[in-house]
């Protein structure tokens, strides 16, 4: 067995002892050494932020008054006695563990070692064990691709529209293996669910995050094969990611019906067909880029056609193709050329960018003389692959021959290990491809020849962005004189700058407002004033004085369902994203209704809670949640109450306010409560003790707090007198008179601050910080026809609740293009994810 590691401080990483690194236990239960506790900053008096869970907890003046962790001290002394040198296990970068490839889990290493939050996050992706069987396992030459068959109907409560039907074929991508020794299995047998969660939990966090990005992207990006979840095979104990499998004709034969070897030019109809096909692929890739996903290669079999004839990406095929690529690269040098030819140059040719191929070799331990620079895989890699696919469709089988010559030179350069001018090699190859294109395309398509030549360049930074390629293809379909009403914005940044170029009108609703590209959609269904908005599970939930909570679709803003269980005015609503998604609403008679928030929606609440009523004060005015642990309510009795979301009991009541608690907000381990007494109080989420009080020192200048919004370290407070105050910790940074009347709602997103209230306007301000302080710049306002009672900003859209029963949605207009009798709609997500995942890194998790 491996030697046990010494317990160490999570800050300085020094092994605990009784002298220099004394372990002290914080009130949240986590341990940090005494020396580090003395140096950690104190954001508020007598508080400290735990280095493990990041909660604000009570902290005495001297850390030596905290209790010692005697168990860790004893364990550390025992291990140091057994292993005096205290050597720590080091994983070299070239080891399988460091590369994330050995994902076998030996059980039992720990029984249910994951947290409840981890369980809630991944449990929804676990598929029943009896709903799938393995139908076919491919040979080693084709990457060992596994296909499955659905045994019985299954519909996910979490993913709308994701249904597994009986006899349907699915793709299976292996993500790990669960191993039990015979001796352990005789004593204890892990449950099916535990096996899947254990494999996921034992993954490196980076690899698990990549899987999470892929799962979420498949829900948000259309025309991409869906991932249904994870399934564990009882026979081989392997955990598979279950993907939608697309059955469609060969892409090449479908597009080009003529013989590929004919040395004649393509007709205008064939060029238009190719252009329309690749335009759709451009859009799909751009949407994936916006979700942080880069494929890095393309293969003909990765694409198909759905029932409407639109291009579809088979995600399972993409992941399995990446597995096959890595297997080919791992071959010995003597078999390297044969293995790569079998992988790249079969009937289903693979187009992999130079930087992708060379980086794959580096990950497998090969060394290169990169010369001046080494290029990373990014969005430009997909541009290279897409250009190769288009050239393949135009040129035909001659292109495959040139690819074989190119691959031969690359393999020889790797074998010699003497360094190679890869840039010059790629340039000579692309010049040959340009000659082939000239023979197949007429002179009127010179612009297409030019952009394809530039797309095949070695330096990703010099390749055209995907918008340029899309626009060039579009001009082949729609003549400029018929091109009206479509506006594209180009951002010429490459992936090395962590940015992308997308086919879109604008980044979000803010930029769209200044250019007149914003559309306002009205959602009508309530009969009285809107009091609250919440988003979750793909739906918008709205509460109203009409005693009803409406559920709206975020796709077309239509009314989906109505929760009717309150007998009095509903004043607040929140969404809980747990194992069982919940919608929770409260009314002005202290009744809390808890609803199941998944399809099919229930007619009756799951549970009803009743706050204790006081004849002087009544009504719930505000609600907030802390993950899946607590529901917090602010009421007319001046109290903030914490309700357990596990057993729905009242855990505690926090007192301190001198009037109605009108607003609540949870952020970074702190509960913020605003009151009509003009103050904001901060409470610790760990033990619900008071942390500090935010109030102005000026007497007689009290304005009731009506709304709160939190963004990292800044707190935005809307008051009854029309002012908005900005706090940093316990320091008032800025106070602006924004509205003429009460500010009922404040919403901060990025650098933009939205606010609305009694004066029937939505104010937009830009918040900027620098070394000299904070600046609040008024940008503009939106005039409304009624009082603004609720604001919610989500994915570039601004949702506005009004007193006249209407909900308005301000969002970007989607560009559209009409070609002959068919209407094609091009729309791309309008935000860029910072952490970009290359799909080639996200599949290879089984043991070598």
């Amino acid at each position: 067995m491996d030697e046990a590691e010494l317990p160490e401080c999570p800050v300085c990483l020094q092994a605990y002892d009784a002298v220099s690194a004394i372990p002290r236990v914080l009130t949240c239960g986590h341990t940090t050494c005494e020396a580090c506790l003395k140096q950690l900053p104190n954001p508020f008096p007598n508080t400290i932020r735990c280095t493990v869970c990041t909660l604000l907890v009570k902290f005495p003046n001297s850390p030596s008054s905290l209790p010692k962790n005697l168990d860790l001290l004893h364990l550390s002394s025992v291990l140091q006695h057994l292993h005096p040198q205290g050597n720590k296990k080091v994983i070299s970068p070239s080891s399988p563990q460091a590369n994330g490839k050995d994902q076998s889990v030996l059980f039992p290493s720990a029984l249910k070692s994951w947290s409840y939050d981890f369980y809630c996050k991944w449990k929804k992706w676990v598929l029943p064990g009896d709903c799938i069987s393995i139908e076919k396992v491919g040979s080693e030459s084709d990457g060992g691709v596994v296909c499955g068959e659905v045994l019985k109907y299954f519909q996910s409560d979490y993913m709308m529209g994701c249904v597994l039907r009986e006899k349907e074929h699915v793709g299976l991508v292996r993500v790990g293996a669960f191993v039990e020794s015979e001796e352990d299995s005789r004593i204890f047998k892990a449950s099916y669910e535990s096996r899947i969660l254990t494999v996921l939990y034992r993954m490196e966090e980076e690899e698990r995050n990549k899987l999470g990005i892929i799962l979420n992207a498949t829900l948000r990006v259309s025309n991409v094969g869906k991932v249904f979840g994870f399934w564990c095979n009882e026979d081989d104990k392997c955990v598979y990611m279950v993907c939608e499998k697309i059955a469609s004709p060969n892409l090449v034969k479908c597009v080009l019906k003529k013989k590929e070897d004919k040395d004649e030019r393509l007709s205008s109809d064939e060029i238009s067909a190719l252009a329309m096909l690749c335009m759709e692929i451009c859009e799909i890739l751009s949407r994936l880029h916006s979700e942080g996903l880069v494929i890095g290669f393309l293969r003909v079999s990765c694409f198909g056609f759905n029932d409407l004839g639109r291009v579809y990406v088979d995600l399972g095929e993409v992941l399995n193709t990446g597995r096959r690529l890595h297997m080919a690269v791992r071959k010995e040098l003597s078999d390297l050329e044969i293995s790569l030819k079998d992988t790249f140059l079969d009937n289903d040719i693979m187009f992999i960018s130079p930087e992708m191929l060379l980086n794959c070799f580096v990950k497998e331990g090969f060394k290169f003389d990169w010369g001046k620079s080494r290029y990373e895989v990014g969005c430009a890699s997909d541009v290279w692959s897409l250009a190769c696919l288009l050239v393949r469709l135009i040129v035909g089988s001659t292109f495959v021959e040139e690819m074989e010559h190119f691959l031969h030179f690359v393999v020889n350069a790797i074998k010699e290990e003497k360094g190679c001018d890869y840039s010059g090699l790629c340039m000579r190859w692309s010049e040959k491809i340009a000659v082939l294109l000239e023979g197949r395309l007429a002179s009127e398509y010179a612009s297409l020849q030019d952009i394809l030549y530039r797309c095949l360049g070695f330096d990703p930074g010099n390749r055209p962005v995907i918008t340029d390629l899309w626009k060039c293809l579009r001009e082949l379909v729609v003549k400029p004189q018929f091109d009206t009403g479509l506006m594209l914005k180009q951002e010429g940044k490459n992936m090395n700058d962590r940015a992308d170029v997308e086919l879109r009108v604008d980044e979000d609703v803010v930029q769209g407002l200044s250019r007149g590209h914003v559309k306002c959609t009205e959602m009508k269904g309530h009969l009285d004033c809107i009091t609250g908005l919440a988003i979750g599970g793909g739906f918008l939930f709205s509460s109203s004085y009409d005693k009803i909570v409406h559920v709206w679709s975020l796709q077309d803003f239509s009314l989906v369902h109505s929760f009717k269980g309150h007998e009095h005015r509903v004043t607040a609503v929140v969404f809980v994203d747990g194992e069982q998604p919940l919608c929770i609403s409260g009314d002005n008679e202290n009744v809390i209704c808890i609803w199941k928030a998944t399809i099919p929606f229930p007619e009756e609440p799951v549970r009803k809670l009743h706050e204790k009523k006081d004849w002087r004060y009544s009504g719930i005015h505000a609600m907030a949640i802390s993950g899946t642990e607590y529901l917090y309510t602010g009421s007319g009795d001046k109290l903030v109450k914490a309700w357990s979301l596990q057993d729905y009991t009242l855990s505690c009541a926090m007192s301190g306010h001198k009037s109605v608690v009108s607003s609540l907000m949870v952020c970074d381990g702190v509960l913020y409560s605003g009151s009509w007494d003009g103050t904001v109080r901060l409470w610790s989420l760990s033990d619900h003790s008071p942390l500090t009080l935010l109030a102005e020192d000026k007497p007689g200048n009290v304005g009731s707090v009506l709304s709160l919004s939190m963004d990292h370290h800044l707190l935005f407070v809307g008051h009854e007198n029309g002012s908005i105050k900005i706090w940093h910790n316990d320091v008032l940074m800025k106070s602006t008179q924004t509205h003429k009347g009460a500010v009922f709602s404040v919403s901060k997103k990025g650098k933009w601050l939205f606010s609305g209230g009694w004066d029937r306007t939505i104010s937009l301000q830009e918040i900027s910080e620098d070394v000299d302080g904070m600046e609040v710049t008024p940008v503009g306002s939106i005039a409304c026809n009624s009082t603004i009672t609720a604001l919610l900003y989500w994915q570039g859209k601004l949702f506005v609740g009004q007193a006249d029963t209407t909900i308005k949605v301000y969002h970007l207009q989607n560009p559209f293009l009409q070609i002959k009798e068919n209407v094609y709609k091009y729309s791309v997500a309008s935000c860029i994810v910072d952490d970009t995942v290359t799909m080639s890194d996200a599949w290879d998790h089984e043991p070598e």
Side-chain angles (χ1 to χ4, degrees), residues 351-572:
F351 309 105
I352 178 170
S353 63
E355 63 272 16
M356 178 73 179
L357 180 59
L358 295 179
N359 276 280
C360 286
F361 281 114
V362 170
K363 290 182 180 180
E364 297 303 328
F366 291 90
K367 297 181 179 179
F368 295 95
D369 180 10
W370 291 92
K372 295 182 179 180
S373 61
R374 171 181 173 178
Y375 302 115
E376 297 296 333
V377 178
C379 298
S381 305
D382 286 341
V383 172
W384 193 95
S385 302
L386 179 55
C388 281
L389 175 61
L390 185 53
V391 172
R392 166 69 177 90
L393 296 175
I394 294 174
V395 174
S397 57
T398 311
F399 177 73
V400 181
E401 298 174 2
E402 292 299 334
M403 283 288 291
E404 183 175 358
H405 296 321
F406 177 70
L407 188 63
H408 174 75
F409 286 118
V410 172
V411 172
N412 285 338
I414 295 172
K415 287 182 178 181
E416 293 175 2
E417 298 184 357
K418 297 180 180 179
C420 175
D421 181 13
Y422 295 104
S423 176
L425 178 62
C426 186
M427 181 179 296
R428 291 190 294 273
W429 173 78
S430 59
E431 289 174 352
K432 294 180 180 180
I433 301 304
V435 174
L436 295 177
L437 284 172
E438 188 176 356
R440 294 282 278 177
L441 296 175
S443 58
E444 59 186 287
Y445 300 115
S447 61
L448 178 60
Q449 298 178 42
D450 176 67
I451 197 169
L452 290 178
Y453 175 75
R454 290 189 289 122
C455 287
L456 298 178
F458 182 76
D459 185 356
N462 294 332
R463 296 173 194 159
V465 293
I466 202 166
T467 306
D468 292 336
L469 181 58
W470 184 89
K471 290 170 67 176
C472 178
L473 294 170
R474 185 172 178 273
E475 290 177 357
L476 303 178
V477 179
V478 178
K479 299 303 178 183
Q481 58 267 31
F482 299 110
D483 186 9
T484 59
L486 185 62
M487 304 181 66
L488 297 174
K489 179 181 177 182
Q490 173 178 330
E491 296 179 3
K493 299 180 181 179
N494 57 37
M495 194 59 202
N496 297 326
D497 297 328
R498 308 299 295 171
D500 187 21
V501 179
E502 305 166 56
L503 305 179
R504 60 191 179 184
V505 178
D506 257 312
E507 290 185 355
D508 56 28
V509 70
V510 179
Q511 281 77 14
L513 284 170
S514 62
R515 294 170 174 82
H517 298 155
V518 171
K519 179 181 179 182
C520 178
T521 300
E522 291 191 355
M523 304 161 66
K524 296 184 177 181
H526 283 293
L527 304 177
D528 209 330
C529 174
I530 308 298
T531 57
L533 300 173
I535 283 181
F539 302 100
L540 170 72
F541 302 88
S542 60
S543 59
S544 169
Y545 280 168
D546 63 6
K547 310 175 187 178
I548 297 174
V549 176
H550 280 331
V551 185
W552 310 82
S553 169
L554 290 175
Q555 301 298 321
D556 56 5
F557 309 127
S558 61
L559 181 60
V560 177
H561 186 74
S562 298
F563 292 136
K564 301 178 181 179
H566 289 278
E567 298 178 0
H568 304 278
R569 293 179 172 183
V570 185
T571 53

Side-chain angles (χ1 to χ4, degrees), residues 28 46 116 251 254 258 355 370 414 662 701 768 795 831:
C28 60
N46 299 321
Y116 180 73
L251 193 64
C254 181
K258 63 189 298 181
E355 63 272 16
W370 291 92
I414 295 172
S662 55
N701 191 30
S768 55
Q795 289 194 0
C831 62

Side-chain angles (χ1 to χ4, degrees), residues 252 256 258-263 392 395-398 440:
V252 177
L256 294 180
K258 63 189 298 181
K259 292 183 179 180
E260 300 179 0
D261 297 328
K262 284 188 176 181
D263 296 328
R392 166 69 177 90
V395 174
S397 57
T398 311
R440 294 282 278 177

Side-chain angles (χ1 to χ4, degrees), residues 67-181:
K68 296 181 180 179
N69 194 325
L70 299 179
D71 292 333
L72 285 183
L73 275 177
H74 176 70
L75 177 62
S76 181
S77 62
V78 171
L79 292 177
Q80 289 181 6
H81 176 72
L82 294 176
H83 312 290
Q85 297 177 347
N87 291 330
K88 296 173 66 176
K89 183 180 178 183
V90 178
I91 299 178
S92 66
S94 60
S95 65
Q97 290 87 350
N99 290 329
K101 294 167 186 171
D102 190 356
Q103 292 295 335
S104 294
V105 177
L106 184 62
F107 189 85
S109 56
L111 292 179
K112 192 183 173 296
S113 53
W114 54 81
S115 64
Y116 180 73
D117 289 339
F118 179 89
Y119 173 83
C120 293
K121 178 179 179 180
W122 293 98
K123 166 64 173 65
K124 55 195 175 188
W125 294 103
V126 175
L127 299 177
D130 58 351
C131 70
I132 296 173
S133 67
I134 290 183
E135 180 185 25
K136 182 180 67 174
V137 178
S139 61
E140 183 179 356
S141 61
D142 65 359
V145 177
V146 182
C147 297
E149 183 181 17
V150 180
L151 299 179
K152 68 175 186 178
Y153 177 89
F154 173 75
Q155 180 175 4
S156 172
D157 293 333
Y158 175 67
M159 297 174 291
M160 290 183 57
C162 289
V163 177
L164 291 172
R165 296 178 176 83
E166 191 174 351
K167 301 297 183 181
E168 184 177 357
H169 298 287
V170 292
L172 301 177
V173 180
R174 198 172 329 181
V175 297
F178 184 90
V179 181
E180 286 180 295
S181 66

Side-chain angles (χ1 to χ4, degrees), residues 180-209:
E180 286 180 295
S181 66
E182 294 184 3
E183 181 178 354
D184 291 332
S185 61
R186 286 196 299 267
I187 299 174
F188 181 85
K189 182 176 177 60
S191 68
Y192 169 82
E193 184 180 88
S194 295
R195 275 175 267 167
I196 295 178
L197 292 176
T198 301
V199 169
L200 296 175
Y201 182 73
R202 293 302 177 188
M203 278 184 180
E204 298 216 9
E205 185 176 2
E206 181 182 359
E207 300 297 329
R208 190 167 56 242
N209 289 339

